[in-house]
């Protein structure tokens, strides 16, 4: 059985800690964080410890998982340079090399959006993994298998490319849906009516390829509809977004 400590109190740390606490092949020893209030939510399923005062407790673990913001990874890993444990971070965009001051290191990146309120089905989440040493890669595989998750060995460059693609497909798409909801709210029409269309759009994108399933006035170069819709938009930000996306679609299909 692998012993594991997790450093961090955010959404990724919360979900992974909760999942690993229930895994049969993993012994979750501690979750470490600086803020006692943020650690309280972990106390129902695992032991917690103060990152500032008792970090050395994590040194006894086989694996230490750093689940903090990208900007904090280097500082946290610096505190672990004397540890013999396998040090992993969970970032999609951060190179594995940021941990090269540690003796053993790698990456365990779940390619998914996390929020504390949403339960996750791990067998549907791809984990992108990487390690300095081959024997440590086997240990990371054991961790992912304990969650019944699928893993893919991906280097830092390709993982960063996938993370960038995830920003477009998740973060940017969500913002566009935010703007769509605002348009619905402004006109007092139900946003929920768009759900079947959005789900069909996603399904077609992965079934046919998004480049083959594009529709709409921009693709048709329907200038009358484009101008009419631009005139209907009230905010400068929405007009700018509509124009940029329309032009991007048109340029893509002019290639």
């Amino acid at each position: 059985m692998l012993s594991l400590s997790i450093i961090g109190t955010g959404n990724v740390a919360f979900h992974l800690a909760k999942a690993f606490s229930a895994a049969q092949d993993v012994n979750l020893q501690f979750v470490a964080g600086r803020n006692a209030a943020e650690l309280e939510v972990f106390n129902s399923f695992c032991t917690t410890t103060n990152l500032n005062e008792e970090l050395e407790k994590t040194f006894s673990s086989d694996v230490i998982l750093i689940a903090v913001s990208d900007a904090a990874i280097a500082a946290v890993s610096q505190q672990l340079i004397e540890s013999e444990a396998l040090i992993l971070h969970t970032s999609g965009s951060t190179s594995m090399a940021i941990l090269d001051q540690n003796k053993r290191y790698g990456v365990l990146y779940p390619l998914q959006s996390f929020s504390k309120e949403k339960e996750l089905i791990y067998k549907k989440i791809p984990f992108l993994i990487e390690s300095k040493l081959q024997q440590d890669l086997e240990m990371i595989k054991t961790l992912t298998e304990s969650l019944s998750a699928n893993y893919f060995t991906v280097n830092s460059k390709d993982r960063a490319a996938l993370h960038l693609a995830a920003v477009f497909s998740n973060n940017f798409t969500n913002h566009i849906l935010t703007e769509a909801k605002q348009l619905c709210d402004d006109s007092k029409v139900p946003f929920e009516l768009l759900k079947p269309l959005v789900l069909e759009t996603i399904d077609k994108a992965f079934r046919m390829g998004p480049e083959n399933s594009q529709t709409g006035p921009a693709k048709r170069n329907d200038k009358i509809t484009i101008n009419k819709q631009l005139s209907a938009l009230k905010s400068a930000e929405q007009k700018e977004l509509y124009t940029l996306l329309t032009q991007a679609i048109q340029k893509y299909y002019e290639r």
Side-chain angles (χ1 to χ4, degrees):
M1 178 175 286
L2 286 176
S3 59
L4 171 70
S5 293
I6 296 177
I7 298 175
T9 56
N11 291 341
V12 174
F14 173 79
H15 277 287
L16 291 182
K18 191 173 182 180
F20 281 125
S21 71
Q24 293 184 349
D25 298 327
V26 175
N27 174 25
L28 178 60
Q29 294 182 308
F30 305 101
V31 171
R34 291 191 174 91
N35 189 308
E38 291 178 350
L39 284 170
E40 288 182 3
V41 70
F42 292 84
N43 289 329
S44 63
F45 55 83
C46 68
T47 301
T48 60
T49 187
N50 188 285
L51 180 59
N52 296 322
E53 300 173 3
E54 302 177 291
L55 181 62
E56 66 276 4
K57 283 186 177 181
T58 65
F59 285 18
S60 63
S61 299
D62 296 319
V63 181
I64 302 175
L65 190 64
I66 302 174
V68 299
S69 67
D70 291 4
I73 293 173
V76 172
S77 66
Q78 178 66 36
Q79 296 178 267
L80 303 173
I81 57 176
E82 298 301 323
S83 174
E84 298 294 330
L86 171 59
I87 312 299
L88 305 176
H89 74 62
T90 60
S91 170
S93 61
T94 305
S95 171
M96 181 176 69
I98 200 170
L99 302 175
D100 62 8
Q101 61 194 328
N102 301 102
K103 299 174 184 178
R104 299 163 58 205
Y105 55 89
V107 176
L108 179 71
Y109 168 56
L111 183 51
Q112 184 54 276
S113 176
F114 288 77
S115 60
K116 286 189 173 73
E117 301 78 17
K118 174 74 173 179
E119 291 294 329
L120 298 173
I121 302 173
Y122 284 88
K123 64 182 179 181
K124 294 184 178 181
I125 300 175
F127 279 71
L128 310 186
I129 65 174
E130 182 182 15
S131 70
K132 176 187 177 184
L133 304 173
Q134 179 61 36
Q135 58 266 38
D136 288 335
L137 191 65
E138 297 305 314
M139 190 176 292
I140 303 173
K141 290 178 181 179
T142 298
L143 283 175
T144 57
E145 288 169 350
S146 74
L147 301 178
S148 299
N150 294 312
Y151 58 80
F152 301 85
T153 304
V154 178
N155 62 38
S156 291
K157 180 181 178 181
D158 291 344
R159 188 178 67 257
L162 281 165
H163 184 267
L164 178 57
V167 169
F168 272 82
S169 59
N170 177 40
N171 306 135
F172 292 170
T173 297
N174 190 74
H175 178 70
I176 290 171
L177 289 173
T178 300
E179 294 290 351
K181 183 177 183 298
Q182 184 63 57
L183 290 170
C184 290
D185 291 346
D186 290 344
S187 297
K188 295 181 173 56
V189 295
F191 174 66
E192 188 69 18
L193 292 179
L194 294 176
K195 186 174 181 179
L197 173 64
V198 173
L199 294 178
E200 176 65 13
T201 299
I202 297 300
D203 178 70
K204 285 173 62 178
F206 284 94
R207 180 162 40 88
M208 300 169 52
E211 71 280 8
N212 298 319
S213 57
Q214 182 71 54
T215 61
K219 172 71 182 303
R220 300 191 303 269
N221 196 26
D222 181 352
K223 294 180 181 178
I224 293 175
T225 299
I226 291 170
N227 291 331
K228 181 179 179 180
Q229 292 181 338
L230 271 173
S231 298
L233 293 171
K234 297 177 181 178
S235 76
E237 292 79 8
Q238 288 177 340
K239 289 179 183 289
E240 181 180 12
L241 183 61
Y242 184 101
T243 300
L244 286 172
L245 290 173
T246 295
Q247 291 175 347
I249 291 168
Q250 291 173 335
K251 288 180 181 178
Y252 182 90
Y253 290 98
E254 288 172 358
R255 296 176 186 175

